[in-house]
Amino acid sequence: MTLERANKTLKRQAVEAMERALKAEEDLRRLQRECDAKEKAITDQQYQLQASEQEQGNTVEQLLSLRHQNQTQATELTTLRQTLREAQTTVRSQQDALATSEQTEVQLTDEIAMLKDTVQAQQDQLHQAQQATVAPLSDHNVQTILNALATRITELEQAKVAARPEVGEVAPALTETEPVEIAPQPAPLTNAELLRQLIANLTADSLAEYHPIERLVQKYNDLVEGDELTLWTKLQGHFVTEDDDRYFVDNSFAYHELSDVDCNGLDVTDIADGELYSARQRIDSDRIVLIRSLHKQYERPASVYNDADLQRFEDATVLAGKNVLIVSWWGETANHAKRKLEKMGADVKWLDTSTVANNKVADEMRKELYDVRIVVLRGAHHETVNEAHQLRREGMNIFILGNPGTSTLVKVTLHATAS
């Protein structure tokens, strides 16, 4: 029994020693890995340090080279400026000499003219004396006087020519250096360019600086008063709610989003649908500003069709020969309206703005082919809606609707094409 316990004890001690040996071996491998990793990190740092030192060396060399080039260019520029100053001094001296010579030339010209007048006077006196039978001067004396005057005139003319300096001989030739480029002065901006620049610079941060523009608008309106060109046009309209969306509808049946309407201090939630308001609209941005309530409700004109009319015309070809354009990305509504209108005889084209580019939509809307064009405000891009407003101002038969249903599209088409 004693040997058996001793044997078990020895086995247990051997197992524990083996575990300690395995653990020690594992610790040794771990330490070896850590040592290798640290050694690799140190090596990488050394490489990076060497590369950094080399880059710094290259940077210093480049900096020294740039400084040397800069100094050389500065020296050349100083020499060039000195040469230019000397040339300017020479040119000024030459200009002064030329001015002096011109003054001398004028004086000599005057003196020559006086001498010529004297000769002419002597000749006139001689002629008069001969006619008056006065003892004439001898031919020798007359010829002597004329020769003396001619000689004097020749001397003065030679002096006049000699007084003119030869331009170009006084000024020394400039040494061959780099040409000096003089920056051209920018041309002043036109008013149209200034306006475009102001519009481009207008941001939320610079908005406070644009308050004086109200005086510009007022002055513009005063100058063009009575003309067709004015920034604001007067209109009337009312608010409507369609599918939980509110719009302002003007008297030409164009829908405007609330973001484009300035309620002029009024709370839009307090304005009832159908209440007529006078307003004004900017022709350059379609922005609408309410003026005041007219204290009456909007009444549907007799020319606007209602649901009963749709029943009456459902099987009639009242739209025969009419061309209709519908611009919307709401395919189900547009297709349904297209079928109803075609049943009434119309030729209908639908443009899906989710697949057709804005410029192609604009080109299609401008075609003279169509009797009526309908643009769905909630079914078109902002650029398309702006283009539609512009076409409407130009007199095209175009309607901008909020988010109409099929019946509304049909009723508006009937109204637009009614004779």
Side-chain angles (χ1 to χ4, degrees):
M1 290 295 293
T2 303
L3 290 174
E4 198 173 317
R5 282 197 303 272
N7 190 20
K8 289 182 180 180
T9 301
L10 289 174
K11 286 183 179 181
R12 186 175 64 256
Q13 291 176 351
V15 170
E16 292 175 354
M18 180 63 70
E19 291 177 352
R20 287 195 298 271
L22 291 174
K23 184 178 180 183
E25 186 177 353
E26 180 65 26
D27 291 341
L28 180 61
R29 284 196 296 269
R30 180 176 54 79
L31 291 174
Q32 184 65 39
R33 287 195 298 270
E34 291 178 356
C35 183
D36 292 342
K38 288 182 180 181
E39 184 177 357
K40 184 177 181 302
I42 292 172
T43 303
D44 293 341
Q45 289 178 356
Q46 289 177 346
Y47 285 151
Q48 292 177 358
L49 182 60
Q50 290 175 357
S52 177
E53 290 176 350
Q54 185 176 359
E55 290 178 358
Q56 290 178 358
N58 294 336
T59 303
V60 171
E61 291 178 358
Q62 293 175 358
L63 181 59
L64 292 175
S65 176
L66 290 174
R67 285 180 178 174
H68 178 69
Q69 292 178 5
N70 191 13
Q71 291 174 354
T72 303
Q73 292 175 355
T75 304
E76 293 177 354
L77 181 59
T78 302
T79 304
L80 181 60
R81 287 176 176 171
Q82 181 64 28
T83 304
L84 182 60
R85 283 195 293 269
E86 293 174 357
Q88 290 173 343
T89 302
T90 304
V91 170
R92 283 195 295 269
S93 301
Q94 182 178 353
Q95 291 174 345
D96 294 340
L98 182 59
T100 303
S101 67
E102 289 176 351
Q103 185 177 2
T104 304
E105 181 181 355
V106 171
Q107 294 175 354
L108 292 173
T109 301
D110 294 340
E111 189 172 349
I112 290 172
M114 292 175 62
L115 286 173
K116 287 182 178 180
D117 292 339
T118 302
V119 172
Q120 185 64 38
Q122 291 286 347
Q123 289 177 346
D124 293 341
Q125 289 177 4
L126 178 61
H127 182 67
Q128 292 174 3
Q130 289 175 349
Q131 290 181 347
T133 65
V134 178
L137 294 173
S138 64
D139 294 339
H140 175 72
N141 291 336
V142 172
Q143 190 63 39
T144 300
I145 292 173
L146 293 177
N147 290 338
L149 290 174
T151 302
R152 180 58 180 162
I153 291 172
T154 303
E155 289 176 353
L156 290 173
E157 288 180 344
Q158 291 176 351
K160 176 180 175 181
V161 173
R164 298 175 183 172
E166 294 295 332
V167 179
E169 293 182 357
V170 179
L174 294 176
T175 57
E176 293 185 1
T177 56
E178 292 294 329
V180 179
E181 293 185 0
I182 301 176
Q185 296 296 326
L189 296 178
T190 63
N191 290 335
E193 291 171 337
L194 289 172
L195 284 174
R196 285 194 293 269
Q197 186 173 346
L198 284 174
I199 294 171
N201 293 340
L202 178 58
T203 62
D205 297 332
S206 63
L207 188 61
E209 302 175 5
Y210 280 74
H211 285 180
I213 202 170
E214 294 180 357
R215 294 197 296 272
L216 174 63
V217 173
Q218 182 61 44
K219 186 174 182 180
Y220 178 87
N221 283 334
D222 292 341
L223 292 175
V224 299
E225 187 175 2
D227 196 354
E228 292 181 358
L229 292 176
T230 178
L231 287 178
W232 295 93
T233 57
K234 292 184 178 180
L235 52 82
Q236 294 180 5
H238 62 283
F239 288 87
V240 299
T241 302
E242 294 181 358
D243 297 332
D244 298 329
D245 293 321
R246 293 198 80 188
Y247 306 95
F248 181 82
V249 183
D250 62 29
N251 46 5
S252 62
F253 301 100
Y255 280 58
H256 303 270
E257 291 186 291
L258 293 185
S259 58
D260 295 331
V261 179
D262 181 358
C263 293
N264 204 6
L266 300 175
D267 189 350
V268 68
T269 58
D270 295 336
I271 300 177
D273 284 356
E275 184 177 359
L276 273 178
Y277 276 81
S278 62
R280 58 178 182 167
Q281 182 180 23
R282 285 183 65 100
I283 64 173
D284 56 348
S285 64
D286 292 314
R287 177 169 166 262
I288 291 178
V289 178
L290 297 185
I291 298 177
R292 62 183 181 86
S293 172
L294 299 180
H295 302 292
K296 61 181 180 180
Q297 291 292 311
Y298 167 75
E299 295 182 1
R300 182 179 63 85
S303 59
V304 177
Y305 292 92
N306 54 27
D307 293 336
D309 296 323
L310 295 185
Q311 297 290 335
R312 182 161 51 93
F313 292 129
E314 186 173 1
D315 297 324
T317 56
V318 292
L319 297 177
K322 303 297 183 180
N323 291 283
V324 181
L325 175 66
I326 299 176
V327 179
S328 174
W329 61 50
W330 300 110
E332 184 177 353
T333 302
N335 267 323
H336 195 193
K338 182 174 183 294
R339 289 194 297 269
K340 279 186 172 292
L341 293 172
E342 287 175 343
K343 187 177 180 181
M344 295 180 182
D347 187 2
V348 183
K349 183 171 184 177
W350 164 51
L351 287 182
D352 185 355
T353 51
S354 64
T355 59
V356 181
N358 291 332
N359 59 336
K360 293 185 178 181
V361 174
D363 292 341
E364 193 69 30
M365 288 193 299
R366 286 188 173 273
K367 289 183 179 179
E368 298 292 340
L369 167 68
Y370 299 105
D371 298 285
V372 60
R373 305 158 186 82
I374 299 176
V375 177
V376 178
L377 193 149
R378 290 293 186 184
H381 297 288
H382 191 65
E383 295 83 354
T384 301
V385 175
N386 287 342
E387 181 70 15
H389 280 295
Q390 177 62 33
L391 294 178
R392 184 172 57 87
R393 288 194 297 269
E394 293 176 5
M396 281 195 173
N397 201 7
I398 188 166
F399 292 83
I400 305 168
L401 306 179
N403 189 16
T406 300
S407 60
T408 301
L409 291 174
V410 175
K411 285 186 287 186
V412 169
T413 304
L414 289 170
H415 165 73
T417 57
S419 56

